[in-house]
Amino acid sequence: MRFTITREKLQEGLSAVTASIPAKTTLPVLANLLVETTERGIRLSGTDLDIAVSTEVIADVDSQGAITIPAKKLAEIARELPSAPVRVSATGEQRVTLECGKTRFRLLGLPKDEFPSFPSVRFSESWRVRSGDLQKLISHTAFAASTEESRPILNGVLWEMRPGHMRMVATNGHRLAKIELPLESVGAPSADLIVPPKALEQIRRLFAAEEDLEIARGDNHLGFRSPFTAVFTRLIEGPYPNYEQVIPRDNERVAVADRNALFQALKRMSIIASDQTHRIRLAFNAGMVKFSVQTPDLGEAQDELSVSYEGDPLEIGFNASYLLEILRYMPTDEVRMTFKAPERAATVEPMGWSDPAKYLCLVMPLRLVD
Amino acid sequence: MPRIAVLPNTVVDQIAAGEVIERPASIVKELLENALDAGARSVEIDVTDGGRSRIRVADDGTGMPRDDAILALARHATSKIRRTDDLVGVGTFGFRGEALAAIASISAIEIETAAQDGAGTLLRAENGEVRDVGECSRRRGTTVTVTRVFSNTPSRLTFLRSPRSEWRATADALTSIALARRDVRLTATHDGRQTFALAPVSSLRGRVAALWGGAYADGLVAVDDVTGSIHVSGLVERPGDAGTAARRIFLSVNGRTVRDHGIVRAAEAAYRSTLPAGVRPSLLLELTVPGDLVDVNVHPMKAEVRFRDRWMLERAVEAAIRRALGTHESAPALGSRAWSFGGTQNGGVGTVVDTEVLRRADGGFGPLLDTPPGSAAPDSARLPDDAPIPPLVQLRDTYLMFERDDGIVLIDQHSAHERVLFERFLGTLERGEAPSQRLLFPLTLHLGPAEADAFEEHQDLFTALGFEVEGFGGHTLIIRAVPMPHPRFDAERCIRETLDALAGSRFASAAPRHERLAATVACKAAIKAGDALSAAEMRALFSALGATALPAHDVHGRATIVHVPWDEVDRRFGRR
């Protein structure tokens, strides 16, 4: 195997792939990148067995071949090389030489055969989604997925494909984020896919917004592909909880508030809130919400904010960090919150979002004890 | 013939002897106490055949002039008190004037005594009757030799156990006195073999080391605390060591060895939540209380005393021990540390005596600062709350390690977190203030009958902890809200395992049920060994542990903190 590549192209390829290399692994070959020659140049691939990323960059190929190279060292080398063409050649199955100007590196790789094969995903039955749409779905929901390991299904983000629309939903059992977009895709099947947020993060990062992605499903894998780059991920199996059932329909108490003012007030309150529960108290009255927080052994704080509020007065407790997080992802200057009772779910939605998307967050209260 | 008659003196003495002199060990104890009351600096004890054949106690005390010696054998003859008033706050071991008379009444006794070096008195008596008074020559002091023990009370004789167990009882009595009177040289031989050879020492730890070995002494935690007029000092076992060796209880009040279940119970209460059920710690405690608070004249052998304000005393004992266990020093150390015998007050090397060093810096027994009784003492040896947190390293996803001036400290993350949560849950249960996160998707739990019973029994406490649980017919529970003690908390697993544990050990623990539940939930809710922690989590755990009352022990009595002194590290590397 022999090829020549510009340092910039090599770095471009590496920056796409190295994020998928696991930091710690028991399988040595996973610390390596697979480098293969293709018709257009070379393909770099990395995987942690859950997610695989591969990208193609343009290069001059002299002779065909494939080898795996320690990813971290290759990235460090590429960063320090002068800006000049890099000649890469492999001798045998394990030795690879990099030359750039007068600089010369020789690295010990591993044979290609040791690298795990990519999941089989039939792109012949693929459907297409605009990358920008997918990014919008991901960035508004992925934060809400659970990071705790007791319920693996909640560690994923539900991606619902339906005729005419698609949805993403994520929850950790205490709060939930849901976004729905009209779908202009072709040939999309109806499907419920539970995708690890880590894979979604790669997808959001790797593909340009205007690209059309080809998406296809294997047995328990999902593949995303653009002309140069592909991401494969394991799907989380199992039924996702029935989230529709917990979204309140009859919350008759409604508050509309300035997102930023609300955010700042909550942030101030959370300084005093307990480290474990972040509990704060909100008291809604006509035209006003009063914040208060009391933490034994620490102290207390109060604040007020004028809001438009309809309904009977209400006192309700929340984990301030959940509210703050939701507000951070709200795309509009004003947000609409609805409530039913101090022990029932509250919702937060954007007010006057020009986007065709429908976005809703839901948060369960904390019990207040007087 | 009149039916009622006044008993002759010999019979009266024998009856009294029944109270005071039960077995040879009582003779040794009484004679030794007499020697100590006579100001002896050195006492030699020689026992043959478990005390049946011969008991000899020789001292270098004040001795007696001839007339006193003859009178000493009479009942209620004593040099120790004169008036009733003297009974209040009596400082000598004896004062009833019964012991010698009682001993003489059931044996043959020979007393050699001299008030000055040179001419002395030799006195022989048998069954309470003086047979012979002569002269002898000896150094200042008294030697009492008792033979033919219980020879005239055959019923007593039949109740004696084997020489070995009689000797064991004698040794126990000697041990108690040896612990109380550390300033005296004590030697004892049994059947010609020397069993005690105790040099005078200045500290209880030194005496313990001489009795049971330096390693044992080194493993004990120093207690030293003043509450009002009560001074509690001594040595107690680390919770982690309790149950691993024979249990030793020693309790002295104003220098007098006594038995008192109330005080022992109070001391054990201080260990609450650090020991597994059924395990009881060794306690060596010395109480100093004003003489008018204690009445020693309630028991013929003076093994029991009566306190005027028992509650205050027990509270002082519990507080003192709890405070001692709250220090870093009560965490076990790795390896053996050097122990220097007969040294200074703070003869120990390593950390065990840190508190002593700190507390005695001002020369007195009082704490460093004047704190009102009952409030927490200044505790410089505690993990400091406000001190900067040292860099922490996680080992095997199980232990946190950091460096101190005097060594390396390892913290077991699960045990530590368990301790933190236990105290927090207990606080929650006592205050009734539990934040509770409602769940979007209620958890459903299917229980076995035993678990369901356990749940029913503790439902109110679960609610107080922040669990909102509904029965759902049969043995199914629906959990609608859960507490959020930490971000990794797995409510379903926690409640399931807690119920499992409660169902499995229904009768195992006598601890109050809210404590038991808090301990169980804390154990199940705490982070596990094998959980990788972020640097922020480690720091949070470290400072939370430092803020607990008993940071060194988890709720099962295991250690949360292990301290490896630099000495030990240096030694292993051959640097010393």
Side-chain angles (χ1 to χ4, degrees), chain A residues 84-305:
Chain A
V86 185
R87 286 185 305 283
V88 181
S89 57
T91 42
E93 284 203 306
Q94 301 202 21
R95 279 176 200 284
V96 64
T97 311
L98 280 87
E99 285 169 283
C100 179
K102 294 202 179 348
T103 316
R104 196 182 153 88
F105 288 95
R106 206 177 247 173
L107 288 175
L108 216 52
L110 286 168
K112 169 196 187 286
D113 308 340
E114 288 184 25
F115 201 81
S117 55
F118 275 30
S120 63
V121 171
R122 292 175 299 280
F123 276 102
S124 53
E125 294 164 27
S126 68
W127 69 93
R128 285 175 175 274
V129 174
R130 208 175 67 86
S131 168
D133 286 348
L134 207 49
Q135 283 176 5
K136 194 186 292 166
L137 294 186
I138 295 166
S139 60
H140 284 97
T141 53
F143 73 90
S146 168
T147 51
E148 167 221 316
E149 284 150 26
S150 54
R151 294 176 87 184
I153 202 86
L154 299 186
N155 294 143
V157 177
L158 174 69
W159 186 16
E160 273 187 1
M161 301 293 303
R162 293 287 182 273
H165 72 264
M166 61 179 178
R167 253 183 202 176
M168 270 193 195
V169 180
T171 179
N172 70 348
H174 304 157
R175 47 103 156 92
L176 175 147
K178 182 190 85 158
I179 186 165
E180 181 180 316
L181 264 185
L183 187 62
E184 300 148 14
S185 92
V186 190
S190 276
D192 284 1
L193 308 162
I194 303 169
V195 192
K198 233 168 63 182
L200 294 174
E201 180 52 34
Q202 294 283 356
I203 289 155
R204 205 175 61 81
R205 190 178 69 89
L206 287 172
F207 300 108
E210 65 281 2
E211 268 184 302
D212 255 3
L213 300 184
E214 261 188 284
I215 298 157
R217 185 177 181 173
D219 285 341
N220 54 356
H221 286 85
L222 200 61
F224 299 77
R225 169 169 106 170
S226 74
F228 281 97
T229 303
V231 176
F232 299 87
T233 175
R234 187 178 55 83
L235 289 172
I236 300 173
E237 288 179 75
Y240 202 79
N242 185 349
Y243 66 91
E244 288 282 3
Q245 191 185 304
V246 301
I247 293 175
R249 311 279 170 210
D250 55 350
N251 278 5
E252 76 280 8
R253 293 164 156 136
V254 179
V256 176
D258 182 81
R259 181 182 73 100
N260 198 39
L262 186 59
F263 188 84
Q264 298 304 334
L266 288 169
K267 251 191 131 169
R268 285 191 289 269
M269 292 301 104
S270 58
I271 296 170
I272 297 299
S274 121
D275 288 343
Q276 282 83 43
T277 58
H278 307 280
R279 180 175 52 168
I280 56 154
R281 176 189 298 250
L282 277 69
F284 288 94
N285 260 308
M288 174 83 72
V289 56
K290 287 186 178 171
F291 305 87
S292 61
V293 53
Q294 277 176 317
T295 303
D297 310 330
L298 182 58
E300 50 180 81
Q302 287 92 31
D303 205 340
E304 301 184 355
L305 182 67

Side-chain angles (χ1 to χ4, degrees), chain A residues 148 150-151 171 173-176 241-243 246 276-277 279 296 319 322 343 362 364-367 369, chain B residues 424 431-441 443 463-464 466-468 482 484-485 487-490:
Chain A
E148 167 221 316
S150 54
R151 294 176 87 184
T171 179
H174 304 157
R175 47 103 156 92
L176 175 147
N242 185 349
Y243 66 91
V246 301
Q276 282 83 43
T277 58
R279 180 175 52 168
N319 178 332
Y322 286 156
E343 70 282 355
L362 189 157
M364 291 303 282
L366 280 175
R367 180 167 72 181
V369 180
Chain B
R424 194 183 296 152
R431 278 199 308 272
E433 183 265 349
S436 175
Q437 169 72 54
R438 290 192 62 89
L439 298 175
L440 264 176
F441 310 103
L443 303 167
T463 308
F467 286 99
E468 210 177 301
V482 299
M484 285 306 292
R488 293 166 189 265
F489 181 63
D490 180 347

Side-chain angles (χ1 to χ4, degrees), chain A residues 17-66:
Chain A
V17 177
T18 42
S20 67
I21 304 287
K24 266 195 258 177
T25 174
T26 48
L27 199 60
V29 77
L30 295 186
N32 286 13
L33 283 176
L34 176 63
V35 182
E36 297 163 295
T37 56
T38 62
E39 287 164 14
R40 291 181 287 192
I42 57 162
R43 172 172 289 282
L44 302 171
S45 311
T47 181
D48 62 1
L49 295 179
D50 282 338
I51 299 163
V53 175
S54 100
T55 191
E56 225 176 320
V57 285
I58 290 166
D60 283 338
V61 178
D62 293 338
S63 68
Q64 306 284 312

Side-chain angles (χ1 to χ4, degrees), chain B residues 184-189 194-200 207 210-211:
Chain B
V184 176
R185 175 183 307 276
L186 269 181
T187 51
T189 51
Q194 188 169 69
T195 47
F196 287 84
L198 305 172
R207 202 24 71 99
L211 282 167

